[in-house]
Amino acid sequence: MRIDKNQISEYNKNELQNHNENFDFLANRLTKNGYNVSDIISKLSEFQVAIPSWALGAGGTRFGRFGFYGEPSNLEEKIADVGILHSLTQTAGAVSLHIPWDVPSDYKAIKEKADALHIKFDAVNSNTFQDQNGASETYKYGSLSNTSKAVRDQAIQHNLDVINIGDKLGSKALTVWLADGSSFPGQNNFQTAFQNTQDSLIDIYKGLPDDWKLLVEYKPYEPNFYSTVIQDWGASLMLANGCGDKAYTLVDLGHHLPNSNIEQIVSILQLKGKLGGFHFNDSKYGDDDLTVGSIKPYSLFLIFNELVYGMENNPQNPDLAWMIDASHNIKDPLEDLIQSLEAIQEAYAKALLVDQNLLRAAQNDNDVVKCQEILQNAYRTDVRPLIEKARLNVGGVISPINAYRALDVRGQLIKERGKNTVATGL
Ligand code: LRH
Ligand code: MN
């Protein structure tokens, strides 16, 4: 299924007048307050987020999985679904593959399909948290940290294979997330596990093409429930520094213990030039992988406020990899991803309304109340007309969820694929 330009313009007709009224009102007010509205809109239009290939079907938990009809059953259909998201939002111009869940059968064909839909291949993800059929070694007790050299070598070779797959698709980064850790005190020698991981990552790093990045993702727990080798940003930063200049820390928003100050972590990693990218999602308790901005939208805004400051003041930090990492247990995966894309655009737009110079001056004066007023004035601004305009300007729809339903996309996908297809992934 593809959504063509005529369907988009036809759909927008219904909402254009309402959008224009809201936009003109907001743009006039912002311009009066000295904002460069067209600059903000072009930043929003250029902001592309990679869709996780492992989150285009229904997810599940150990307690059960409730399938979603019309799921993509192969990589071609997954790229098509990312194409649908991008046609509607014009902000989903990339996909992040997970290997071996998404090994292309025909590289030329898959690249042509993605190119035709203006979809780029962002970071590729290795998987040494599941045993593969026919593999000689098991990852039950870890992969890159394992006490067995044979297991570590198998995991290192897998990561080198993933780099090779990504290189053929035009990807420029490898994301390494390890389940490695322990579930009981005494099970692991922490130092040996950490040093094995460092040495293994260095071997992987040596296989990285010159223009690639290595993104080291941290997580405090699950599936191990006592310790995780790469448990937090500090461990990830040390391992990245141990590898070299092309290695960075990847921040998955769900990989923090309750009440962690993620915006401070993001700020300091940018200062050190070691922030590589994000896995956006939201959570109430653990690594819940819920819709971005559905639980803690103010926290997401505060993170983007630090990102906007960093993008203006930290040239030492590279361009970031913007990716979603979510799992859909009850929502239509495409509607869930559209809501996440909207929430990310909204947080970025609100952060672009923070007058950073005014905030710096208030911070220097220790005018605490004024600092909060500056932040919350931006956060309390309804920026949706800006996001709508940013989409309209580049061929997207005014309201993607409404258009998705009005165009009966899920119905069309079920007609094409039936009700029993299951997507690989989480
Ligand atoms: C681990 C994680 C990691 C992926 C997996 C799908 O929780 O966030 O990024 O490999 O989810
Ligand atoms: Mn993740």
Side-chain angles (χ1 to χ4, degrees), residues 54 98 101 125-126 129 175 177 217 219 222 250 252 255 279 281 287 289 325 426:
W54 59 92
H98 217 297
W101 294 334
N125 299 264
S126 60
F129 51 87
T175 297
W177 168 70
E217 183 177 3
K219 182 175 181 177
E222 189 204 39
L250 184 137
D252 183 313
H255 292 183
H279 278 180
N281 47 55
D287 186 20
D289 279 344
D325 181 0
L426 283 184

Side-chain angles (χ1 to χ4, degrees), residues 58-66 130 183-184 221-225 285-289 327-329 425-426:
T61 71
R62 58 187 167 163
F63 302 105
R65 179 184 181 281
F66 303 93
Q130 294 171 328
S183 282
F184 298 94
Y221 72 96
E222 189 204 39
N224 278 295
F225 295 103
Y285 303 104
D287 186 20
D288 310 338
D289 279 344
S327 179
H328 324 288
N329 299 335
L426 283 184

Side-chain angles (χ1 to χ4, degrees), residues 10-162:
E10 196 48 45
Y11 178 81
N12 282 333
K13 278 199 188 104
N14 317 336
E15 301 197 4
L16 213 47
Q17 184 190 351
N18 185 38
H19 160 72
N20 288 336
E21 287 164 9
N22 294 336
F23 177 77
D24 295 345
F25 172 77
L26 177 61
N28 293 339
R29 192 156 60 86
L30 292 176
T31 305
K32 273 203 201 87
N33 295 336
Y35 288 99
N36 178 338
V37 173
S38 59
D39 177 54
I40 292 172
I41 289 170
S42 55
K43 281 191 170 99
L44 293 171
S45 296
E46 287 149 19
F47 193 84
Q48 297 298 314
V49 177
I51 302 296
S53 63
W54 59 92
L56 290 162
T61 71
R62 58 187 167 163
F63 302 105
R65 179 184 181 281
F66 303 93
F68 221 94
Y69 303 150
E71 292 188 21
S73 56
N74 56 46
L75 185 54
E76 287 70 21
E77 291 181 349
K78 287 187 176 189
I79 300 291
D81 285 8
V82 176
I84 290 169
L85 293 175
H86 196 42
S87 299
L88 294 173
T89 66
Q90 290 299 321
T91 186
V95 64
S96 180
L97 299 189
H98 217 297
I99 307 296
W101 294 334
D102 304 302
V103 178
S105 49
D106 178 336
Y107 283 86
K108 185 168 174 301
I110 210 73
K111 281 189 74 174
E112 283 168 0
K113 186 173 181 68
D115 288 350
L117 294 166
H118 312 294
I119 304 289
K120 290 188 176 56
F121 289 94
D122 204 312
V124 282
N125 299 264
S126 60
N127 178 340
T128 59
F129 51 87
Q130 294 171 328
D131 287 343
Q132 305 309 320
N133 300 340
S136 54
E137 308 296 334
T138 174
Y139 296 134
K140 180 175 181 179
Y141 298 110
S143 61
L144 300 182
S145 71
N146 199 293
T147 54
S148 153
K149 183 169 184 335
V151 175
R152 298 197 302 272
D153 289 346
Q154 177 181 285
I156 291 165
Q157 187 52 52
H158 166 69
N159 279 276
L160 297 174
D161 297 344
V162 172

Side-chain angles (χ1 to χ4, degrees), residues 49 54 123 125 174-177 214-220 230-237 240 247-257 260-271 273-283 287 289 292 299-300 302-304 306-307 317 320-326 344:
V49 177
W54 59 92
N125 299 264
L174 168 70
T175 297
V176 174
W177 168 70
L214 173 62
L215 305 177
V216 181
E217 183 177 3
Y218 58 87
K219 182 175 181 177
I230 312 180
Q231 67 185 129
D232 63 12
W233 67 275
S236 169
L237 181 62
Y248 300 89
T249 291
L250 184 137
V251 176
D252 183 313
L253 299 187
H255 292 183
H256 298 87
L257 297 175
S260 295
N261 188 325
I262 303 174
E263 56 269 25
Q264 183 183 16
I265 294 169
V266 165
S267 172
I268 301 310
L269 287 172
Q270 283 181 109
L271 177 64
K274 277 296 187 182
L275 179 65
F278 283 86
H279 278 180
F280 290 114
N281 47 55
D282 209 340
S283 51
D287 186 20
D289 279 344
V292 181
S299 171
L300 184 68
L302 294 174
I303 290 168
F304 267 91
E306 295 303 333
L307 288 168
N317 202 82
L320 295 165
W322 311 104
M323 300 175 278
I324 291 173
D325 181 0
I344 293 167

